[in-house]
Amino acid sequence: MKVKVVLGREERVVEVAEGATVAEVLRALGVNREEVVVRLRDAIVTEEEALRDGDTIELIRVISGG
Amino acid sequence: MVSCSICGERACYHRRYSGQRFCAEHFLEYFERKVKKTMLRYRMVERGERIGVAVSGGKDSLTLLRILDRLAGRLSLELHAILIDEGIANYREETIERARRFCEELGVPLRVLSFREHFRLALDEAVRLSHRNACTFCGVFRRKLLNDAARELGCDRLATGHNLDDEVQAILMNFLRGDLERLLRLGTRTRSERLVPRIKPLMEMPEKEVALYALLAGIPASFEECPYAVQSFRTEVREMINRLEESNPGIKFSILRSYQKLLPLLESYGVKQLQSCRTCGEPSSGERCRACLLLEELTRSASR
Ligand code: SF4
Ligand SMILES: [Zn+2]
Ligand SMILES: [Zn+2]
């Protein structure tokens, strides 16, 4: 199935196995879960949340460095 | 759906190092309780004190301000927000605006001090004059102005928004560089009357939890990154720690605890006495303080 990932102004579509979780999408992208908060359909979710085909998730980077 | 360990509603956070899951409401409750506990545990404040709060407009400092503001009534604390404008074009303007708005909303007085007004040049100009990294000037000058402002305002403490990740990064960075003096300074009480004692109420909160709190509590914090925050030693150390944390949840806490256990040993090895800077009289570990040395270096390059 396909999941759209939005990070700032960037957008990517990733192909993951049916029923994949947020954690699996992050792993596929090489993103560390410690460094992002994930929003799915207007709600913040845990990395264990299972996704559906066509879902869009937004990653919010938590690193400030300022 | 993943559900909250307390109420069964949809969870927004999985605290892997304890196995708990929280919905938004219970996360906010947990977070505030934990910060309060940390402040008690380290006896960070006492009833009736005046607290300077360093704010930048980012998630850490505004979260800190909001939590202190919620505790202020019960502990009769008097808060004063202090913001340092380093002079970073296309970045600081917006974060200052956010900090200003939030202070107004909470009714906390805000004092703004700028590099330009106190050192006669903005950080952007200092960077153009020097081969040094922006963060070197930024850190040294900011620390000095924060302390000056807190002292002038008569603050008993100066609170900063350092979170668990910041602390653990600093511990490992100093350790990896073999800088025992700085490693020691991270955790010991100040050694000069001219230095306002610092407190770090968020030091036991992982960065991700602070960000989540800011988002869920609707704090108007900026999530932008400073343009000077590029790939650095700190970034490398951060990535290493976060990789470790991913496969060993809780390791950030265990690094902090190890450091706290080591601290008495480091202290017995000797805390260097601070002297007064020959130029400005402020506390310094050498004959002259870092701020004076850097300023002189900048003046020299400017006249060249
Ligand atoms: S990243 Fe930016 S704000 Fe942070 S210390 Fe460096 S120059 Fe200063
Ligand atoms: Zn709940
Ligand atoms: Zn000096």
Side-chain angles (χ1 to χ4, degrees), chain B residues 3-10 21-27:
Chain B
S3 39
C4 172
S5 317
I6 299 170
C7 70
E9 288 287 310
R10 184 196 212 127
R21 294 174 182 80
F22 296 114
C23 66
E25 186 192 329
H26 288 115
F27 175 79

Side-chain angles (χ1 to χ4, degrees), chain B residues 171-186:
Chain B
I171 291 168
L172 285 190
M173 282 165 69
N174 290 323
F175 180 79
L176 293 171
R177 287 180 174 140
D179 194 338
L180 288 189
E181 179 61 28
R182 280 204 193 170
L183 186 62
L184 175 62
R185 243 188 286 156
L186 265 181

Side-chain angles (χ1 to χ4, degrees), chain B residues 140-155:
Chain B
V140 172
F141 292 159
R142 180 171 41 191
R143 206 164 319 127
K144 175 173 164 45
L145 286 189
L146 280 174
N147 187 62
D148 287 356
R151 199 172 49 199
E152 271 166 38
L153 289 164
C155 296

Side-chain angles (χ1 to χ4, degrees), chain A residues 9 26-27 31-41 43-50 60-66, chain B residues 1-2 10-14 16 21 59-60 91-92 207-208 211-212 215-216 223 225-226 229 238 242-243 245-246 252:
Chain A
R9 279 161 219 106
L26 294 183
R27 207 168 309 130
V31 172
N32 191 305
R33 64 206 289 166
E34 289 292 303
E35 303 190 355
V36 288
V37 166
V38 180
R39 212 190 309 249
L40 167 69
R41 292 176 232 120
I44 293 171
V45 294
T46 78
E47 290 79 15
E48 305 159 298
E49 198 72 38
I60 304 159
R61 263 178 78 74
V62 306
I63 307 303
S64 46
Chain B
M1 184 184 87
V2 181
R10 184 196 212 127
C12 61
Y13 182 57
H14 178 199
R16 291 171 74 224
R21 294 174 182 80
K59 66 178 196 311
D60 301 293
Y91 170 65
R92 199 42 96 205
E207 178 148 41
K208 177 163 172 162
L212 189 53
L215 287 167
L216 293 174
F223 278 79
E225 244 190 312
C226 170
R238 182 188 75 215
N242 282 342
R243 265 198 309 277
E245 180 72 30
E246 205 163 35
K252 289 176 188 172

Side-chain angles (χ1 to χ4, degrees), chain B residues 277-282 288-289 291-292:
Chain B
C277 167
R278 204 151 40 79
T279 310
C280 70
E282 294 295 316
R288 298 181 64 209
C289 72
C292 284

Side-chain angles (χ1 to χ4, degrees), chain B residues 118-134:
Chain B
H118 289 266
F119 303 116
R120 276 175 304 179
L121 82 182
L123 183 62
D124 287 339
E125 297 167 279
V127 169
R128 258 176 259 129
L129 284 172
S130 169
H131 61 279
R132 283 186 196 273
N133 194 297

